[in-house]
Amino acid sequence: LMVEILATTLTAANPSREVSSFFTAEGPPPGTGQFLMAIKPHDADAFAQRLEALLSHIAGLDGARLPGMRRAAAIETSRREGIAVPTAYLETARAMAAGRG
């Protein structure tokens, strides 16, 4: 909600519910806004420790998730178990590598 307020209301841009698609040329320009904020913590190490504690607490709550958690878990699973690749893809890649494709 804060991102929506800062990036639209303060900049007089369209709120997300009114933005047209970025993926098609149909309709008016999206009319989005941008809001940049720079923050310099007084004590960067203390900030990092407090942020880590907060994020760890949130991640430990039943049903809660943080952005990137699902992706990090998928990457870890892929590293541990590998990635399933259809046999036809492997055969094509091997043929190409051997100069036959």
Side-chain angles (χ1 to χ4, degrees):
L1 179 59
M2 286 305 301
V3 171
E4 181 86 1
I5 291 168
L6 296 173
T8 63
T9 306
L10 285 176
T11 63
N14 290 333
S16 59
R17 69 181 186 280
E18 296 175 8
V19 171
S20 60
S21 175
F22 284 96
F23 302 107
T24 65
E26 298 171 13
T32 58
Q34 295 185 12
F35 177 84
L36 305 174
M37 180 188 312
I39 299 174
K40 181 179 179 186
H42 174 71
D43 181 342
D45 292 332
F47 171 76
Q49 290 172 0
R50 291 181 65 174
L51 180 60
E52 180 60 35
L54 173 64
L55 296 177
S56 293
H57 173 73
I58 293 171
L61 296 174
D62 188 35
R65 65 184 186 100
L66 295 167
M69 285 178 63
R70 190 174 5 195
R71 181 173 186 230
I75 290 170
E76 179 56 33
T77 299
S78 296
R79 285 185 177 145
R80 187 176 59 253
E81 300 174 12
I83 299 172
V85 178
T87 303
Y89 292 177
L90 289 173
E91 291 172 354
T92 299
R94 288 180 180 132
M96 292 172 73
R100 300 186 310 254

